Amino acid sequence: MVVGIDVGGTFTDLVLHDRSAGGLSIVKVPSDRARPDRAVLAALDACGAAPDRLALVVHGTTVATNALLERRIARAAFVTTEGFRDVLELGRTTRLVPRTLYQPYFRRPRPLIDRRDRHETAERTGPDGVAEIPPSQPALEALANRLADDGVEAVAIGFLNSFRNPANEALARDVFARRFEHVTVSTEILNEIREFERFSVCAMNACLMPLMARYARALGAEIARRSSRTAFFTVGSHGGLLSAEAMARLPARTLLSGPAAGVAASMHLASALGLDDLIAFDVGGTSSDVALISRGAFPLKRETIFEGLIIKLPQLDIHTVGAGGGSIASIDAGGELHVGPRSAGAAPGPAAYGLGGRDATLTDANVALGRLGADAAGDRALKLHADLAEDAIRTLGDAAGVAPAQAAEAVVKVAVARMASAVREISAMRGHDARAFPLLAYGGAGPLHAALVAESVGVSTVIVPPTPGAFSALGTLCSALTKDAAETRLGPLDAAAREAALAAAARLSRRLTEEFQAERLDASAARFEHQLDLRYQGQSHELTVAVDLAQPVEALAETFETAFEREYGRRDSARGVELVNLRVIARLPMTPPSFPPVQDGRGRAAGRRDLFIDGAWRAAARWRREDLVQDAPVAGPAIVEELSSTTYVPPGWTCRVGRLGELRLDRT
């Protein structure tokens, strides 16, 4: 048996897959924001499987994300080349926080490491990689002793031009490792040109190391205590899996762990359905995460701006907005309605949960509109209280001077507008026509809003996977064990550069293979992908493209120019192409769960319910998902309820069950 776990802001979902029998079972427990490992263990206890029967536990986590958001990080010191102490503060000298360009009183977020904890040492490596001045070992030892006595928990080391030659960083690492358990070296995190990006992610990793090391090792040790036969992995931001030790050593690679699992599940389902293109649309308790999958490839990007911080690491291209089931609706001083980004979370949660929440949320609005009923909760143990939801919505409506039903519909419309903006951001704003992509909706609240979002952006097909509320948990079992390495190879893209890239790729591939073997993994089945960061000569920033290095230079250049034209709408073929970085990605595939055979239901609706739609109450069929019959159409308005989610079929849409048990909603 294998277990996949998704730790969300509101619920922790578990999927138990019996590889021999082929069955899937689901468990949902409330998340514990203060101690997320407790929710993971509670879900394992609730699944009912004997620990010694679990061969694998994989989980996606938001621990690092929440720690950065709330600045619950360790005190770390940054040691750098003399004269470069303030690189972390100077950054790119631009505003990296969205929607702040015209704010006259804008203040940049503080660096993760204060200036008093940033220290210089006399060392220098030239741009050609020659180590001109080695750091003084006695000076480093004295600094290490002083920092340890001052209460510093972790150390980040970033030297100028170390991407050309990391020898000085390695020497400093060895010195500080004698006094500190948590030491991060910039070239081990990001071995690329540009010191600010390299220093930034190095500092971030160091600040997260103590927290994530304790979390990963404690959880891994408890799982191992229960059964020494159980392997434990975590989904990384790049969509692959990390071992517990890799998670402890490279916590910055887990910042998009949770959403990445959903994308992995989306690709697995798309492959099973024969789809190359789709938009993954995940709505949980606190946010909506959207990703565009084109030509069956992982939507990877190389840089993310997170709360004004640069994260230049391989990660999935996921756009997030703060609109989820627990998002709080409010009216500002000017009378404008807002939904999110504040969330009621799991405790106290929406008012409808009956756990003490009083603020109106998106969930409460759907209850007031009839789209969520008392028997349609995400967890059978959780009863929805319609009277409490209506009271919260009535309070909101009174503040706006409108009736409760109109207030609830306005809340849904505002939330849908925010979700639709995320879909446009990853489609139209990236040169893709959203109308050509089906929308794959999952998460506890995704199917409830998917058809409305699809209407807003012009999409005519919505797919709802089996067990949509636990789809991200399923995705943890669809990910491959993944490692990557990069090397800067700055120069014109010519035949000599291609040959050098081939030799470097072979060297990096051997290194990644050795890392797999060091973690006692069989690397014989590893698949290697090569990528190049390319740009036109004279440009400052590059574009990452997947390539076959066996191809001639002309074909490599054409691959780049095609990608550049798709991204920016033009070519500049008169200029030469320049190579910046070589990347190698190694993946060890896992065997993903297969979808169970479709079982036809009785073909009769469970009843009817009145829904408030476009300003009026209308009768709608209420179906249980298990009662649907394959290919038999259900016309909207209707709702389809199941353990983990509710699907809303608006007027003008029909719903059918597909061959894998997925729901297909088509706009008529």
Side-chain angles (χ1 to χ4, degrees):
M1 289 186 175
V2 295
V3 165
I5 302 173
D6 174 43
V7 183
T10 305
F11 288 105
T12 293
D13 301 311
L14 177 147
V15 170
L16 176 67
H17 174 52
D18 189 334
R19 283 177 169 169
S20 58
L24 289 174
S25 56
I26 301 168
V27 170
K28 292 178 80 73
V29 299
S31 293
D32 187 332
R33 192 174 181 82
R35 287 286 307 274
D37 54 315
R38 289 178 180 170
V40 172
L41 297 174
L44 285 172
D45 292 337
C47 78
D52 60 354
R53 295 195 61 198
L54 298 180
L56 175 68
V57 172
V58 185
H59 92 317
T61 178
T62 56
V63 173
T65 310
N66 292 335
L68 268 190
L69 281 171
E70 300 167 9
R71 294 294 178 109
R72 291 184 292 103
I73 53 178
R75 182 185 170 196
F78 179 59
V79 181
T80 189
T81 305
E82 191 173 44
F84 290 84
R85 177 186 185 186
D86 293 319
V87 166
L88 285 178
E89 194 134 12
L90 293 171
R92 292 180 178 171
T93 71
T94 56
R95 297 187 178 188
L96 298 176
V97 181
R99 298 179 295 278
T100 60
L101 183 59
Y102 299 108
Q103 289 185 13
Y105 303 108
F106 171 75
R107 294 177 66 89
R108 296 174 65 187
R110 286 175 54 192
L112 294 176
I113 299 179
D114 292 333
R115 195 172 195 272
R116 69 187 178 97
D117 288 327
R118 304 198 296 263
H119 305 272
E120 299 178 347
T121 187
E123 71 82 39
R124 183 56 63 99
T125 297
D128 56 358
V130 175
E132 300 169 357
I133 304 174
S136 165
Q137 195 160 331
L140 291 178
E141 289 172 348
L143 177 59
N145 292 332
R146 190 166 75 250
L147 294 178
D149 294 340
D150 196 28
V152 169
E153 291 185 72
V155 175
I157 301 169
F159 291 160
L160 190 68
N161 294 324
S162 58
F163 70 94
R164 290 291 195 193
N165 180 358
N168 284 358
E169 282 193 351
L171 188 153
R173 177 198 58 210
D174 293 343
V175 170
F176 282 95
R178 292 196 284 268
R179 287 301 308 265
F180 291 90
E181 179 185 357
H182 306 294
V183 179
T184 294
V185 173
S186 75
T187 46
E188 293 180 355
I189 306 297
L190 183 69
N191 189 31
E192 297 178 18
I193 195 171
R194 296 196 179 98
E195 60 268 15
F196 166 61
E197 287 80 359
R198 187 159 44 85
F199 292 177
S200 178
V201 76
C202 179
M204 184 180 300
N205 200 75
C207 291
L208 291 170
M209 278 183 87
L211 169 69
M212 295 300 288
R214 287 192 295 269
Y215 171 76
R217 288 167 183 161
L219 191 53
E222 175 59 21
I223 290 172
R225 186 193 67 78
R226 295 179 176 206
S227 172
S228 59
R229 300 172 50 200
T230 305
F232 173 56
F233 295 100
T234 299
V235 180
S237 300
H238 49 23
L241 300 184
L242 302 172
S243 67
E245 188 54 40
M247 178 183 172
R249 187 170 54 87
L250 304 169
R253 289 184 174 267
T254 68
L255 286 167
L256 289 178
S257 172
V263 175
S266 298
M267 294 191 63
H268 176 50
L269 179 63
S271 175
L273 293 174
L275 297 173
D276 290 328
D277 305 318
L278 59 81
I279 295 172
F281 175 65
D282 176 11
V283 185
T286 56
S287 64
S288 299
D289 303 308
V290 183
L292 185 140
I293 297 169
S294 178
R295 300 174 186 174
F298 271 105
L300 285 172
K301 62 178 177 179
R302 295 296 163 193
E303 181 178 289
T304 291
I305 298 173
F306 182 90
E307 294 292 301
L309 304 170
I310 290 287
I311 308 172
K312 198 173 191 299
L313 288 173
Q315 54 211 281
L316 294 182
D317 190 359
I318 299 172
H319 188 68
T320 301
V321 294
S327 293
I328 295 172
S330 60
I331 297 175
D332 64 19
E336 185 175 355
L337 175 64
H338 298 270
V339 181
R342 281 198 312 132
S343 174
Y353 285 5
L355 300 177
R358 296 183 179 274
D359 293 318
T361 66
L362 182 57
T363 293
D364 297 313
N366 279 293
V367 171
L369 295 172
R371 298 173 193 176
L372 282 177
D375 52 356
D379 182 358
R380 295 294 186 192
L382 181 64
K383 177 179 172 58
L384 292 180
H385 300 268
D387 55 336
L388 297 178
E390 290 164 2
D391 287 345
I393 292 295
R394 184 177 296 107
T395 301
L396 182 74
D398 290 345
V402 298
Q406 278 82 11
E409 193 164 47
V411 169
V412 171
K413 286 182 177 180
V414 170
V416 166
R418 296 196 67 194
M419 296 170 188
S421 71
V423 174
R424 293 189 187 96
E425 175 67 28
I426 56 90
S427 57
M429 300 298 287
R430 313 284 177 87
H432 299 278
D433 185 352
R435 295 171 297 181
F437 293 75
L439 192 69
L440 178 63
Y442 54 97
L448 192 60
H449 304 94
L452 300 175
V453 172
E455 284 184 354
S456 180
V457 298
V459 170
S460 58
T461 299
V462 170
I463 298 171
V464 179
T467 64
F471 196 59
S472 291
L474 178 70
T476 64
L477 302 177
C478 302
S479 305
L481 288 158
T482 304
K483 292 183 178 294
D484 60 82
E487 189 173 290
T488 295
R489 312 289 305 180
L490 193 59
L493 181 65
D494 53 23
R498 187 186 74 89
E499 291 300 319
L502 272 170
R507 184 177 66 255
L508 294 177
S509 297
R510 288 194 296 270
R511 192 183 92 193
L512 296 178
T513 299
E514 290 168 358
E515 289 182 13
F516 278 132
Q517 293 169 341
E519 295 176 3
R520 299 186 297 279
L521 297 169
D522 180 8
S524 60
R527 300 173 184 170
F528 294 90
E529 177 185 336
H530 298 152
Q531 298 177 344
L532 298 179
D533 290 354
L534 300 169
R535 66 188 182 191
Y536 286 118
Q537 289 180 349
Q539 289 186 322
S540 299
H541 297 281
E542 55 277 355
L543 198 61
T544 302
V545 292
V547 298
D548 178 0
L549 287 175
Q551 291 184 321
V553 171
E554 294 76 16
L556 299 178
E558 175 61 26
T559 300
F560 161 71
E561 294 202 83
T562 300
F564 189 92
E565 185 176 26
R566 184 173 61 249
E567 187 82 12
Y568 300 107
R570 63 181 180 85
R571 291 189 180 210
D572 201 356
S573 300
R575 301 164 73 178
V577 177
E578 190 173 57
L579 170 62
V580 180
N581 298 309
L582 161 72
R583 304 181 186 279
V584 178
I585 301 173
R587 293 189 176 94
L588 271 178
M590 305 282 283
T591 303
S594 55
F595 294 98
V598 179
Q599 300 285 338
D600 280 346
R602 61 179 185 169
R604 295 196 307 273
R608 301 184 72 78
R609 182 185 297 149
D610 287 339
L611 310 183
F612 193 81
I613 304 170
D614 294 331
W617 289 98
R618 297 182 57 176
R622 173 178 157 265
W623 287 80
R624 288 194 293 262
R625 186 163 181 167
E626 60 266 28
D627 289 339
L628 295 171
V629 175
Q630 190 172 4
D631 290 328
V634 172
I639 54 174
V640 180
E641 299 171 351
E642 58 187 300
L643 171 66
S644 62
S645 187
T646 295
T647 300
Y648 172 49
V649 186
W653 288 74
T654 59
C655 173
R656 288 179 171 84
V657 178
R659 60 184 177 85
L660 297 180
E662 79 283 4
L663 301 183
R664 180 186 173 105
L665 280 64
D666 291 296
R667 192 176 182 183
T668 58

